[in-house]
Amino acid sequence: MSMILEAFWIWIAALLTLAIFSFLWKDNVFYRTAEHLYIGVANGYSITLIYYNVVLPNMVYPIRGANQALSADGFSWGLLNPFNDHNYFIILPMMVGALYITRFIPSVSWMIRIPIGITMGYYTAIAIPASFKASIVRQLEASILTRSDFDSWSVVFYGLLIFLTTVATLIYFFFSAEHKGALKPISEIGILTVMVGFGASFGLTVMARISLAIGRFIFLFKDWLGVVS
Amino acid sequence: MKRRFPMTIMFLFAIWGGISVFVGKTKVHDFDNLLRNKLLLIVGAFAIILGLGSLIFHHTQKIKRKARFWQYSYVTLIALAVTTFIGLGGGVRGERSLPTIFGGTVIGAHDGLVYVFTSQAEKNLFMDEPSRYADPTKAVLELPREFETDFNRFEASQLREEIHLKHTALQLKGQPIPPMISPVSNQQVAYKKEFKISLQQLYEGILVPCGSTMFAMLAFYMCSAAYRAFRMRNLHAGVLLVAAFIVMLGQIPLATAFIPGLHELRQWILDVPNLASKRGIMIGVGLGASATSFKIILGIERAWLGGGE
Amino acid sequence: MEQRSVWKKMMDVDRRVIYLIVAVVMIVPIIFPFDLPMKISKRTTEVLFNAIDSFPEQHGVFLISADLNPQDQPELFPMLVAWIRHCFYRDIKVLVMCLYPTSMGLAEQALNQVAMEFNNRAADGIGRRVVYGEDYIFLGYKPPPIVPILGLGENIYDVFPRDFYGNELKSLPMMTKKNIKSYRDMDMIGSLAANTLPITYVAYAQARYGIRVTGGVTAVSVADFYPYLDSEQLTGMLEGMKGAAEYEQLLRQQFPEENGRQLASEGMSSQSSTHIAIILMIVLGNVCYFMNRRYETRGM
């Protein structure tokens, strides 16, 4: 890329950055233009990349290949075999996918439920064991002290503390029994634990948000204005 | 029919998905791979049409009705059209056919030789059948070995820079320049000034600054909200505030360099009480999500069907 | 009465005044930075650094799932750059893929930038050249996330028959020399994301195929990942810009020739000042609130 072109795009990026920041003062024409430009470009970008990465290799090439094979060697059952690189079988999922478009035709719009149902059914089913194992079973395992943990007292102490406060947190969120009697102090410990957790999340969120603003200012002052070397 | 049929299909695919998790390397396994990697991918790809259609519909309606700020809908629609045009016509790096490359030099390589073409069409012809059109006498330079695999990702100007760099380095060291990079006559590889808009440039010049600045504004909103609304009204809020302060101070060098133990205290908060609270919440959420998934599969939860019959 | 109105006035100060203060506090240290060493987080950054450092030289393979969007750039882009640099220094092979289309631009930018850094240095006689296809490969993008996450456990060529540039994946020397076929031939997955994708990798890739997973995550979600760190489902992680800056520091310590731009470290002075400003603002906001309330109840 030539230097001139590079400078041109840095200017565009800088002006758009300023246009969006201008919203902090008040809503204005520059902000709204940049915002609408962003939506248009973002969608155009995604369409293009989906075309190159999904449509071409998975739809266009297999059918084009099948057409060539058909004209060269005539029909064979292999052309309907979905395991082959080039085949006509993929027209079937394409037809199912095309049902998404029925959303725009009121009389048959219910048919959109078919592709949604297929993808949702399949992915929900494979998600259940995966998330159950990763987020529940392994977490319960990790809360349990094993023999090797007793090599160090601090590990035992913090392990127990984590275990008890985890139980307290679960009890705080357990609403099927009224929090009174023995449950009351436990759920109080639970809510205090949760508050520390939220505090930690807040502290980290501050860093995250500041990082984003710093990123933009570094761009403006270093890459664009060159105030800092 | 309009509800039961989709629900039945959903149930069948859920059963298939459930089975696929537990089978070993069998035909079922192979078909599951095909289903996931190819067939469902194709089905899902059409969802983009739905999203795109909704976007275009929304903005055209806005223009038609002259709704508030309708003029800006033109910006979105034009940006969408131009980006798609540049993307599909010019390719991600401007490597495809015109008209997004203006005055650029098009180069191609075959059998370790680099060729310069006057137009993209000429190059396409060559690339389709290089062995037929490749004429070693027309090659402008021999390709250094390392570019052989590298070639497709280099733009003309980059390639020239790379060669120039290597050339200069060898000259500076007073070493002889090997023939593979010497026959670059300036005339032959006199690259014209390029003016080329590629999708990557739109990405770096428009998408990145707009997207990141919109989120950067959150920093300002958060500061304003923290000043106005973060009140230590009771014990719980106090605990939250203290934990937040320790975590915040423990993560900046200006504080950890001068207050001993602060960094470790922050780590302890994250490692012990934070861990316990997040684990408790996570187990609860995990159980809830699994229950909801079962309800969807068994047809008890039907919100996904939407309204209507 | 007079004093009460001062507290009230301070509480109701125009939001733009606050914005201005924040902007100044943020910008000044960018122009006049102060250089303070970072304390390295042992549980997160150091574990990850040591893990990558223990990959077998010339044989290690690191799969980076670069799922950063433009809005995550300041936090996640420096991590991506640092990981690639670390791998190139140690001659570990790098595979980069994306699960979102809008991540591809940044992923490619990072690879090109680091490759150019190394090749420029190599031209000066320092270090080695890195070559596309031999040292690193950009696989491109494949939706939806679950397809490549599970597919790479079976056969990478089914999921990515060609790389991002259209080269046949099987034809690239790195793939054939190292005989990379699935997760079994890789040492670790690094998931860079602003959401829970690292956990998706844990739940699917790790649970089914046993590969180690690490995360480079935005600070917003760091706290939520600690349970996975404790259960050793994640092998270390990088915590937002701070984690990236720590990693950059470790790289500089280990590899003195490191002279590339330190994107995250550049922002840490500004982080320090803004953090302190926010703490002061919260304290001041509370003081105003309680003083005002005291005067109001007395007045009644």
Side-chain angles (χ1 to χ4, degrees):
Chain A
M1 215 191 311
S2 71
M3 293 300 282
I4 301 168
L5 199 59
E6 211 164 296
F8 169 77
W9 283 109
I10 286 182
W11 268 86
I12 295 283
L15 294 178
L16 285 171
T17 303
L18 293 177
I20 289 181
F21 268 143
S22 71
F23 185 77
L24 289 171
W25 183 256
K26 65 176 192 187
D27 194 2
N28 63 69
V29 57
F30 299 111
Y31 170 76
R32 280 199 297 269
T33 309
E35 185 196 24
H36 282 78
L37 182 72
Y38 173 67
I39 297 168
V41 174
N43 279 287
Y45 184 82
S46 296
I47 292 168
T48 309
L49 291 182
I50 288 171
Y51 175 75
Y52 287 126
N53 289 278
V54 182
V55 177
L56 273 188
N58 294 299
M59 299 182 216
V60 177
Y61 292 155
I63 291 185
R64 194 191 281 168
N67 282 342
Q68 281 167 356
L70 185 69
S71 58
D73 310 323
F75 179 79
S76 73
W77 287 106
L79 288 177
L80 295 178
N81 183 352
F83 286 95
N84 287 346
D85 284 346
H86 302 141
N87 69 79
Y88 287 118
F89 183 87
I90 59 153
I91 293 175
L92 185 68
M94 282 167 75
M95 281 158 66
V96 177
L99 294 178
Y100 272 114
I101 302 164
T102 59
R103 173 76 180 77
F104 301 109
I105 311 160
S107 57
V108 287
S109 67
W110 67 272
M111 291 176 101
I112 192 178
R113 291 168 185 161
I114 295 171
I116 293 178
I118 289 174
T119 36
M120 205 164 66
Y122 181 80
Y123 290 123
T124 311
I126 60 170
I128 296 174
S131 74
F132 200 83
K133 188 175 177 193
S135 302
I136 300 173
V137 178
R138 283 296 304 271
Q139 293 307 314
L140 290 175
E141 274 174 20
S143 306
I144 295 165
L145 290 174
T146 55
R147 186 186 281 185
S148 62
D149 293 333
F150 285 86
D151 292 346
S152 148
W153 281 108
S154 67
V155 174
V156 174
F157 177 71
Y158 290 135
L160 270 176
L161 192 62
I162 290 171
F163 176 72
L164 294 175
T165 41
T166 304
V167 172
T169 306
L170 281 168
I171 286 175
Y172 173 73
F173 286 111
F174 184 69
F175 299 116
S176 301
E178 202 180 332
H179 292 177
K180 61 182 183 187
L183 283 187
K184 196 165 185 256
I186 299 176
S187 75
E188 183 61 21
I189 294 172
I191 181 70
L192 286 174
T193 313
V194 170
M195 283 300 149
V196 176
F198 285 166
S201 291
F202 176 81
L204 284 156
T205 304
V206 167
M207 178 164 74
R209 300 297 177 235
I210 295 173
S211 305
L212 303 182
I214 289 175
R216 290 330 291 158
F217 285 126
I218 288 182
F219 168 75
L220 287 178
F221 285 90
K222 288 199 171 174
D223 302 76
W224 181 45
L225 294 177
V227 178
V228 197
S229 61
Chain B
M1 171 69 182
K2 290 179 182 176
R3 294 175 82 86
R4 192 163 290 172
F5 181 61
M7 276 168 64
T8 311
I9 289 198
M10 194 268 291
F11 182 73
L12 292 176
F13 271 85
I15 296 291
W16 175 270
I19 291 170
S20 74
V21 176
F22 299 104
V23 292
K25 292 225 175 260
T26 56
K27 285 256 187 273
V28 173
H29 185 79
D30 292 342
F31 185 73
D32 184 54
N33 278 338
L34 176 81
L35 184 74
R36 201 177 51 237
N37 293 342
K38 296 245 165 75
L39 309 183
L40 287 183
L41 187 83
I42 294 172
V43 173
F46 282 83
I48 185 86
I49 298 177
L50 188 66
L52 186 65
S54 304
L55 181 83
I56 295 172
F57 182 76
H58 171 78
H59 284 283
T60 44
Q61 285 298 311
K62 230 173 139 181
I63 292 171
K64 223 185 253 172
R65 293 208 198 107
K66 299 260 186 291
R68 195 158 177 251
F69 299 137
W70 61 275
Q71 298 90 335
Y72 296 99
S73 291
Y74 277 119
V75 177
T76 298
L77 291 176
I78 292 170
L80 176 72
V82 170
T83 312
T84 313
F85 178 72
I86 289 173
L88 296 182
V92 181
R93 279 148 289 114
E95 76 284 10
R96 287 173 71 89
S97 41
L98 290 169
T100 56
I101 303 175
F102 303 99
T105 312
V106 193
I107 59 175
H110 174 66
D111 213 9
L113 295 169
V114 177
Y115 300 84
V116 174
F117 306 100
T118 47
S119 73
Q120 186 69 35
E122 197 184 314
K123 183 192 168 187
N124 287 349
L125 202 68
F126 170 83
M127 292 311 276
D128 282 345
E129 246 181 303
S131 51
R132 189 162 161 192
Y133 293 97
D135 177 0
T137 57
K138 285 188 184 158
V140 293
L141 79 148
E142 221 175 302
L143 200 60
R145 189 194 57 83
E146 52 263 47
F147 290 123
E148 276 171 27
T149 51
D150 242 9
F151 191 76
N152 281 333
R153 55 176 291 276
F154 274 107
E155 293 178 16
S157 50
Q158 259 181 317
L159 182 71
R160 188 200 39 190
E161 270 165 34
E162 286 276 327
I163 293 170
H164 176 72
L165 209 71
K166 194 154 189 160
H167 206 129
T168 327
L170 291 172
Q171 263 180 339
L172 283 174
K173 283 183 208 145
Q175 286 175 7
I177 296 156
M180 64 152 60
I181 53 170
S182 54
V184 190
S185 105
N186 279 336
Q187 286 256 287
Q188 277 171 315
V189 197
Y191 289 86
K192 293 176 214 160
K193 252 191 196 158
E194 286 178 34
F195 182 76
K196 182 170 73 178
I197 297 179
S198 68
L199 202 62
Q200 179 70 11
Q201 287 166 336
L202 291 181
Y203 179 83
E204 286 174 27
I206 297 176
L207 271 191
V208 173
C210 287
S212 51
T213 313
M214 278 185 197
F215 278 77
M217 288 202 292
L218 292 176
F220 294 93
Y221 298 148
M222 190 196 59
C223 292
S224 172
Y227 177 71
R228 283 163 209 284
F230 207 154
R231 300 283 179 255
M232 214 164 92
R233 285 201 178 92
N234 53 32
L235 175 69
H236 295 162
V239 169
L240 195 152
L241 200 66
V242 171
F245 280 180
I246 295 172
V247 170
M248 282 163 76
L249 287 172
Q251 64 202 8
I252 50 170
L254 193 59
T256 53
F258 301 109
I259 308 171
L262 188 61
H263 189 254
E264 290 71 21
L265 184 60
R266 169 191 183 266
Q267 197 60 47
W268 183 83
I269 286 185
L270 286 166
D271 270 337
V272 180
N274 165 67
L275 167 69
S277 74
K278 296 290 148 63
R279 183 170 280 162
I281 292 172
M282 212 165 77
I283 292 173
V285 170
L287 287 169
S290 299
T292 311
S293 301
F294 274 116
K295 278 165 80 178
I296 291 172
I297 292 170
L298 296 174
I300 301 166
E301 165 67 54
R302 298 175 184 191
W304 66 275
L305 289 167
E309 271 177 67
Chain C
M1 256 341 249
E2 183 53 37
Q3 221 174 354
R4 177 186 143 189
S5 66
V6 170
W7 299 117
K8 189 92 179 86
K9 260 188 206 163
M10 278 181 68
M11 270 169 70
D12 296 338
V13 64
D14 190 284
R15 65 191 162 82
R16 281 171 285 203
V17 176
I18 299 174
Y19 296 164
L20 187 70
I21 296 172
V22 176
V24 171
V25 170
M26 237 180 244
I27 292 166
V28 171
I30 290 176
I31 302 172
F32 306 106
F34 40 87
D35 194 18
L36 285 169
M38 300 281 302
K39 285 218 169 160
I40 308 296
S41 303
K42 291 200 167 55
R43 291 263 287 147
T44 52
T45 316
E46 203 171 285
V47 171
L48 172 57
F49 189 88
N50 291 341
I52 296 183
D53 225 42
S54 62
F55 288 177
E57 200 147 326
Q58 294 183 355
H59 295 291
V61 178
F62 188 31
L63 171 71
I64 302 176
S65 179
D67 308 310
L68 64 171
N69 285 313
Q71 60 267 29
D72 323 316
Q73 184 206 21
E75 288 188 277
L76 302 184
F77 189 75
M79 297 180 189
L80 177 59
V81 168
W83 281 356
I84 300 171
R85 279 179 189 158
H86 195 181
C87 291
F88 284 177
Y89 277 125
R90 293 212 55 247
D91 201 357
I92 292 164
K93 308 300 168 198
V94 184
L95 283 167
V96 177
M97 70 168 178
C98 298
L99 303 178
Y100 304 124
T102 43
S103 312
M104 292 215 276
L106 285 170
E108 201 197 3
Q109 197 184 334
L111 281 170
N112 285 345
Q113 181 192 319
V114 180
M116 206 174 273
E117 273 170 31
F118 274 73
N119 292 342
N120 283 351
R121 267 203 298 265
D124 295 335
I126 305 166
R128 62 188 191 94
R129 262 189 74 87
V130 288
V131 179
Y132 184 81
E134 284 183 23
D135 297 290
Y136 65 104
I137 290 172
F138 185 29
L139 295 168
Y141 150 77
K142 191 92 173 187
I146 196 74
V147 166
I149 291 176
L150 285 177
L152 259 58
E154 303 287 335
N155 185 351
I156 190 169
Y157 302 104
D158 276 351
V159 186
F160 292 104
R162 287 169 182 277
D163 72 354
F164 178 70
Y165 304 103
N167 302 308
E168 213 173 312
L169 199 59
K170 276 186 182 140
S171 73
L172 296 174
M174 180 177 129
M175 300 302 286
T176 45
K177 270 190 215 156
K178 300 281 162 251
N179 199 14
I180 302 170
K181 218 186 145 225
S182 68
Y183 287 142
R184 264 195 305 278
D185 314 304
M186 301 172 196
D187 292 81
M188 191 154 79
I189 302 171
S191 171
L192 280 173
N195 53 21
T196 54
L197 268 180
I199 303 311
T200 312
Y201 273 101
V202 166
Y204 293 95
Q206 187 175 71
R208 280 201 199 183
Y209 306 103
I211 187 169
R212 282 191 294 173
V213 176
T214 189
V217 298
T218 52
V220 174
S221 44
V222 162
D224 299 336
F225 286 108
Y226 266 79
Y228 296 96
L229 209 61
D230 180 62
S231 58
E232 291 174 4
Q233 286 163 290
L234 286 177
T235 309
M237 67 173 167
L238 293 186
E239 307 175 286
M241 189 183 257
K242 168 183 174 279
E246 288 174 356
Y247 208 94
E248 285 175 354
Q249 185 172 315
L250 285 173
L251 274 182
R252 286 196 302 274
Q253 283 166 2
Q254 179 126 340
F255 306 100
E257 65 267 42
E258 167 70 27
N259 62 355
R261 190 168 169 183
Q262 309 287 306
L263 282 164
S265 307
E266 279 177 15
M268 284 316 284
S269 304
S270 196
Q271 283 281 6
S272 291
S273 61
T274 319
H275 268 75
I276 289 173
I278 291 181
I279 291 175
L280 291 178
M281 268 192 223
I282 295 175
V283 171
L284 185 67
N286 273 286
V287 169
C288 294
Y289 171 74
F290 285 108
M291 292 307 276
N292 183 50
R293 202 168 71 166
R294 217 172 79 180
Y295 280 105
E296 270 183 359
T297 43
R298 267 191 200 169
M300 269 178 218

